Amino acid sequence: MIAINNLHKSFGDLEVLKGIDLNVEKGQAVVVIGPSGSGKTTFLRCLNILETPTAGTVAIDGHMADFSKPLPKKQIMEFRKQSAMVFQHYNLFPHMTALENVMEGPVTVQKIDRAEARAKAEELLTKVGLKEKMNEYPFQLSGGQQQRVGIARALALEPKVMLFDEPTSALDPELVGEVLQVMKELALEGMTMVVVTHEMRFAKGVADEVLFMDAGRIVERGTPQEIFDYPKEERTKQFLNLIQ
Ligand code: ADP
């Protein structure tokens, strides 16, 4: 589903991604962990071309982006449609209800008929447990509920891959579980996902594969058991010691 080859990203003189290679199979949940500043968010943003990589290639479901040359805008737009991102700060439109927030992408980007978009949005909000809150505005919702709207909004675009960038780090601790639960259900349903998170329990319980990133590289990768119980690399061991 995702094939990444020799992906590089620099900001000016700062090389943040130093050659990432990764293949993700359809239906896999990959969790990316690592110290702050190691390039996890940048990596995720490159997969949706929210950041333009400096070099390398990314293919999602056969849609290829080769960053060794400038990409035509149309190709970028087409490539972006393959995935959808859930952000740390949910960035909902404050003047729209939960339902309208979820309908917005399908109606304005995909030009889907409003009635159809509404039916789909209702279905998705029900799926994330917010049937009763559809007509509320973001300020009337808790952070956990807002993030679940954020997930429904991303799903409304019918992506083949979901990208989660620290989706629970802005939440009060008691609200983290409800968001992780929705993500876990998505993984169990077979959604292909790449998740940057500090939630190690989620990584242990849900990930098919865990990547440990440090200083712009994937230092170690494996099953949750391999990474958490039998880490091989010194840097992985040090990181796990600090957080566990
Ligand atoms: P992580 O998600 O692992 O904390 P990031 O991908 O956010 O790491 O950041 C990696 C490095 O890239 C950091 O040194 C950060 O300051 C730098 N960086 C991220 N985004 C930008 C940007 N837009 N411009 C310049 N430097 C950036």
Side-chain angles (χ1 to χ4, degrees), residues 11 14 16 34-43 51 165-166 196:
F11 294 106
L14 181 69
V16 174
S36 182
S38 57
K40 304 180 299 295
T41 291
T42 303
F43 170 55
E51 300 293 352
D165 186 14
E166 299 191 22
V196 172

Side-chain angles (χ1 to χ4, degrees), residues 92-108 114 117-122 125 133-138 140-141 149 152-153 156:
L92 301 179
F93 295 112
H95 59 290
M96 291 184 187
T97 63
L99 189 70
E100 288 163 348
N101 264 284
V102 179
M103 288 170 62
E104 172 70 13
V107 169
T108 60
R114 276 193 83 80
R118 170 180 286 269
K120 190 158 103 185
E122 286 178 358
L125 284 165
K133 300 282 181 186
M134 280 183 201
N135 297 313
E136 309 266 308
Y137 288 87
Q140 296 170 301
L141 301 173
V149 177
R153 181 179 55 176

